[in-house]
């Protein structure tokens, strides 16, 4: 080894932090190619008694040097924390697995019980995951609490290998009576996609101990998000969930909202740049209304959320005492929408928690539709486009109900007789927001001045909605969201299609919002959209204005 290299190493070692069980060579830019170049570092490790943490990040370690370091670690049974991020800069990708296997083998030989393992920023790919696979399955990781693998290029294959290793680790540690209880998992920028995320979700569900999950920028769409949502429900102590820059769309957002209903300790949610969109934002508003009592930060930036949905979100955080930050930057509010949002937050005395809106994308084009995107999504999943067909009923449906809901008329409604409400309840699945909205519009379309027809319509709607509103806020917010899409007040996704709005739709809705079963916050949601997108109802302007007036009285009784 050249004398100047030795001098540089000696100088670096002189700056090494030694104390509290930690040896740190962090950011010293050491180029350790072979045994000779690592000689002084190895000596430091060998001589350090009670080594608990070793920091090697910000250096570059070759295979031979890694083997020399490994030899020194074989007797370090108290080692708990390995901070080994960014330590293979400039190395051939084929070298890294061999180096990792050597280091992992040393930890197993020593009988170490790791608590932290950080291998972020090493870009080792699926083969690199194979390099730590044996270590992760071993007793050295039965005690692991924090695993960080950001920016490692794992890909789908690496994600599956990692998931299998964590699963085996949990099974083996459980058999010994001390199951793996991983608390922190980080794997951002790894191209895990749906398959990798789904595999890891199964491992997360099995462990049930996670407190922080960070998986931003992984190319995950609604299928993978849904799998992760299911897994999160089984991790009751979750505090931080960061899925920034993946693609939720409506299905992923609804699945995640459903999961969050069950979690009581979440403090930070980062769904920024996830295409949550307005329907997803409304679903998350429902969860904010009824849960997430400890939430501090919510990031829904760059999600194509429009003004009315943003206002619904803002209203939902009003009673969150721990809330410190609401980030809705980069959405589609428009200049007036941004001002309305700021005013709403100010009126609630919560203006201090609203993040900057400087990157707002402006109001979307009203004629803009998403049929192309939805069509592609349907093709990917083998789903036939049925947007022109009514919601299908079960084959076992009562023939008179089938006849009525397929083609509703005054005659078929009255023909159902006094038992109509019972039949409707029996054959309309109120847990399905789409079916409830569809049934509501079909029945309310018959509203008229005829006493018997009006009475039958209102009684049937009351029974239908009373049962529907007995469910969770998420379920009923989803019903209103679907109804808004069908009435043309909200741009939606999927096969739900707009209907030709009739006065009866709005007059029956006006009746419903005055009933005890219709919650106040739902009336506020409805008013927010009608007030801002009422021109979509211009064909029924009289009924629209009557609905608006009733909503205003319901929200502000003093008016």
């Amino acid at each position: 080894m050249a004398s100047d290299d030795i001098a540089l190493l000696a100088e670096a070692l002189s700056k090494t932090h030694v104390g509290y069980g930690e040896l740190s060579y962090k950011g010293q830019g050491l180029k350790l190619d072979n045994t000779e170049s690592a000689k002084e570092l190895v000596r430091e490790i060998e001589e350090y008694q009670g080594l608990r943490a070793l920091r090697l990040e910000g250096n570059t370690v070759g295979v031979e040097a890694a083997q020399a370091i490994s030899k020194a670690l074989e007797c370090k049974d108290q080692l708990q924390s390995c901070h080994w991020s960014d330590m293979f800069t400039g190395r051939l990708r084929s070298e890294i697995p061999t180096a990792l296997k050597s280091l992992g083998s040393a930890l197993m030989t020593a009988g170490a019980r790791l608590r932290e393992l950080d291998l972020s920023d090493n870009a080792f790919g699926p083969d690199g995951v194979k390099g730590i696979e044996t270590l992760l399955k071993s007793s050295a990781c039965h005690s692991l609490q924090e695993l960080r693998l950001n920016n490692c290029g794992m890909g789908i294959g690496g994600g599956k290998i990692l998931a299998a290793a964590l699963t085996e680790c949990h099974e083996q540690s459980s058999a010994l009576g001390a199951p793996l209880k991983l608390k922190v998992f980080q794997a951002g920028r790894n191209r895990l996609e749906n398959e990798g995320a789904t595999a890891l979700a199964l491992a997360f569900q099995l462990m049930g101990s996670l407190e922080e999950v960070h998986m931003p920028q992984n190319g995950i769409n609604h299928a993978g998000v849904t799998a992760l949502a299911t897994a999160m429900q089984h991790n009751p102590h979750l505090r931080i969930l960061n899925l920034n820059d993946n693609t939720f769309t409506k299905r992923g957002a609804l699945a995640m909202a459903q999961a969050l209903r069950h979690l009581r300790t979440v403090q930070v949610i980062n769904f920024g740049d996830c295409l949550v969109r307005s329907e997803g934002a409304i679903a998350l508003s429902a969860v904010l209304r009824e849960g997430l009592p400890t939430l501090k930060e919510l990031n829904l930036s760059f999600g194509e959320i429009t003004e009315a949905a943003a206002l619904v979100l803002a209203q939902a955080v009003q009673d969150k005492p721990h809330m410190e930050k609401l980030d809705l930057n980069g959405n589609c509010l428009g200049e007036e929408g941004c001002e309305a949002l700021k005013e709403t937050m100010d009126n609630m005395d919560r203006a201090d928690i609203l993040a900057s809106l400087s990157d707002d994308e402006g109001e979307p084009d009203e004629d803009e539709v998403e049929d192309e995107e939805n069509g592609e999504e349907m093709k990917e999943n083998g789903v036939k486009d049925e947007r022109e067909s009514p919601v299908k009923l079960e084959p076992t449906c009562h023939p008179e109900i089938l006849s009525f809901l397929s083609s509703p008329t005054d005659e078929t409604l009255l023909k159902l007789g006094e038992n109509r409400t019972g039949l409707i309840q029996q054959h309309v699945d109120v847990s399905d927001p789409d079916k409830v909205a569809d049934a509501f519009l079909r029945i309310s379309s018959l509203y008229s001045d005829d006493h018997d027809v009006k009475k039958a319509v209102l009684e049937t709607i009351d029974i239908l909605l009373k049962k529907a509103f007995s469910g969770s806020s998420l379920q009923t917010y989803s019903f209103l969201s679907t109804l808004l899409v069908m009435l043309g007040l909200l741009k939606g996704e999927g096969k739900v299609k707009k209907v030709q709005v009739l006065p009866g739709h709005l007059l029956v809705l006006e009746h419903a919002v005055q009933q005890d079963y219709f919650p106040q916050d739902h009336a506020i949601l409805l008013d927010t959209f009608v007030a801002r997108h009422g021109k979509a109802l211009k064909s029924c302007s009289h009924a629209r204005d009557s609905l608006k007036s009733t909503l205003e009285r319901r929200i502000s009784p003093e008016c």
Side-chain angles (χ1 to χ4, degrees):
M1 184 178 185
S3 58
D4 54 344
D5 289 338
I6 295 174
L8 287 171
L9 178 57
E11 181 183 356
L13 291 173
S14 71
K15 298 176 183 177
T16 299
H17 171 70
V18 180
Y20 307 106
E22 179 181 284
L23 263 176
S24 176
Y25 305 93
K26 181 179 180 179
Q28 295 183 9
L30 301 177
K31 191 171 187 294
L32 307 176
D33 296 323
N34 49 41
T35 302
E36 181 64 21
S37 61
K39 185 176 179 179
E40 291 298 321
L41 185 147
V42 168
R43 181 183 61 78
E44 290 272 2
I45 293 173
E46 290 175 338
E47 293 179 356
Y48 195 102
Q49 300 301 310
L51 182 64
R52 294 180 180 274
L54 179 61
R55 309 195 76 104
L56 295 176
E57 62 265 59
N59 300 289
T60 177
V61 182
V63 172
E64 188 177 326
Q67 291 169 342
I69 294 169
S70 299
K71 190 68 176 175
L73 291 175
E74 288 181 355
C75 60
K76 301 300 176 182
D77 61 341
Q78 296 182 54
L79 186 60
Q80 297 179 349
S81 300
C82 297
H83 302 279
W84 295 348
S85 63
D86 187 23
M87 68 173 206
F88 296 112
T89 301
R91 302 294 169 182
L92 294 176
R93 190 163 167 174
S94 58
E95 292 181 79
I96 301 175
T98 304
L100 289 172
K101 285 179 182 178
S102 294
L103 293 166
S105 179
L107 297 174
M108 292 184 285
T109 300
R113 293 292 182 268
L114 295 183
R115 295 171 66 88
E116 298 177 77
L117 178 60
D118 185 354
L119 289 166
S120 299
D121 301 316
N122 280 314
F124 46 51
D127 290 340
V129 184
K130 292 179 183 178
I132 58 171
E133 181 180 9
T134 303
L135 171 64
L136 290 173
K137 292 178 179 179
S138 74
S139 59
C141 287
H142 287 184
S143 54
L144 193 63
Q145 294 185 8
E146 300 182 17
L147 178 60
R148 294 180 172 85
L149 296 167
N150 290 311
N151 193 30
C152 287
M154 289 190 287
I156 294 171
K160 289 182 176 180
I161 295 168
L162 176 60
L166 291 173
T167 299
E168 184 170 331
C169 183
H170 183 271
E171 290 173 348
Q172 291 187 6
S173 58
S174 296
L176 296 174
L180 170 67
K181 292 184 178 180
L182 192 67
K183 294 181 179 180
V184 177
F185 180 84
Q186 295 185 0
R189 297 181 64 191
N190 270 291
R191 305 193 305 277
L192 293 169
E193 301 182 17
N194 287 338
E195 291 183 61
T198 300
L200 285 165
L202 294 174
F204 296 163
Q205 183 170 330
L206 183 66
M207 290 185 290
S209 56
L210 288 166
E211 296 180 9
E212 296 184 23
V213 175
H214 304 262
M215 297 175 67
Q217 217 172 337
N218 268 296
I220 306 168
N221 66 30
H222 69 84
V225 170
T226 299
L228 288 170
T230 300
M232 294 306 104
Q233 292 187 50
H234 296 270
N235 287 266
H237 303 296
L238 188 70
R239 293 184 297 105
I240 299 175
L241 181 57
N242 177 6
L243 295 176
N244 188 283
D245 199 7
N246 289 291
T247 305
F248 281 35
T249 60
K250 178 183 176 180
R251 281 185 281 183
L254 289 177
M256 197 56 71
Q258 180 64 39
L260 290 170
R261 286 185 60 231
H262 302 279
L263 300 172
R264 308 294 295 176
T265 62
V266 176
Q267 296 178 7
V268 178
I269 295 173
N270 186 343
F271 295 160
D273 205 10
C274 283
L275 283 186
V276 167
R277 296 195 172 122
S278 294
E279 289 179 278
I282 291 171
L284 291 169
S285 299
V287 180
L288 286 166
R289 289 279 188 182
E290 66 178 359
L292 297 172
T294 62
L295 189 65
K296 293 182 178 180
E297 295 184 20
L298 176 61
N299 183 346
L300 295 177
S301 59
F302 298 93
E304 294 189 3
I305 297 169
T306 54
E307 174 193 353
L311 291 174
V312 170
L313 268 170
Q315 293 154 0
V317 304
Q318 180 175 7
D319 298 321
K320 292 293 172 206
H322 305 290
M323 200 74 178
E324 298 173 357
K325 184 177 181 181
L326 173 64
D327 192 345
L328 293 173
N329 195 20
N331 281 296
C332 304
L333 311 185
E335 186 176 343
E336 291 183 4
C338 288
E339 290 304 314
L341 178 58
K342 291 175 184 177
E343 182 180 350
T344 297
M345 297 297 289
D346 191 46
N347 291 340
M348 298 188 303
D349 199 25
R350 302 305 302 273
D352 58 314
I353 71 171
L354 182 63
S356 168
L357 299 173
S358 59
D359 295 318
D360 187 74
E361 297 286 343
E363 291 184 75
D365 184 344
E366 286 191 16
D367 296 327
E368 182 182 334
V369 294
E370 296 167 358
D371 289 340
E372 182 178 340
E373 179 183 6
N374 292 323
E376 289 175 358
E377 189 174 280
M378 289 177 177
K379 289 176 184 177
E380 285 178 7
N381 294 281
V383 178
K384 183 181 178 181
D385 189 346
E386 298 175 341
R387 280 174 280 184
E388 297 304 319
S389 303
V391 175
K392 291 185 177 179
L393 299 169
E394 295 298 323
T396 56
C397 185
H398 191 286
E400 292 180 343
I401 287 290
L402 179 62
S403 174
F404 167 66
L405 289 177
S406 297
S407 182
T409 64
D410 297 356
E411 182 182 354
T412 54
L413 175 63
L414 295 175
K415 189 176 179 181
L416 293 175
E418 294 300 319
N419 195 33
R420 73 177 72 86
T421 56
L423 290 172
I424 292 291
Q425 279 195 89
Q426 182 179 351
H427 293 288
V428 176
D429 180 5
V430 296
S431 67
D432 186 328
D434 291 0
K435 290 182 178 178
V436 177
D438 183 76
F440 175 89
L441 292 175
R442 288 172 184 273
I443 296 167
S444 62
S445 68
L446 303 178
Y447 184 87
S448 73
D449 291 332
D450 181 278
H451 176 270
D452 290 340
V453 174
K454 180 191 292 187
K455 182 173 182 289
V457 167
L458 295 181
E459 285 180 352
T460 306
I461 287 295
D462 283 341
I463 290 297
L464 175 68
L465 293 189
K466 188 173 183 179
K467 185 175 180 182
F469 279 107
S470 67
S472 68
S473 290
L474 176 58
Q475 181 178 310
T476 52
Y477 267 51
S478 296
F479 154 68
L480 281 183
S481 179
T482 300
L483 188 62
L484 290 169
V485 171
M486 298 178 84
L487 292 173
L489 296 170
L490 173 64
K491 184 172 68 175
E493 298 177 36
K495 61 185 180 181
V496 175
K497 66 183 183 71
K498 296 178 185 178
V499 299
Q500 179 181 351
V501 181
L502 302 174
H505 294 146
L506 306 183
L507 294 172
V508 173
L509 190 55
E510 179 185 0
H511 163 82
V513 300
Q514 298 176 74
Q515 308 310 307
D516 290 340
Y517 60 71
F518 205 101
Q520 176 85 351
D521 59 297
H522 290 57
I524 293 172
L525 186 161
L526 188 57
D527 177 67
T528 300
F529 277 87
V530 172
R532 280 159 180 79
H533 302 292
K535 56 187 175 182
L537 307 174
K538 61 184 178 182
S539 62
C540 307
S541 57
H542 179 73
R544 176 198 64 193
D545 294 343
S546 182
L547 172 60
K548 287 174 67 175
S549 297
T550 298
L551 283 168
E552 289 169 4
R553 288 195 299 273
R554 171 70 196 278
I555 294 166
S556 304
E558 67 274 9
C559 297

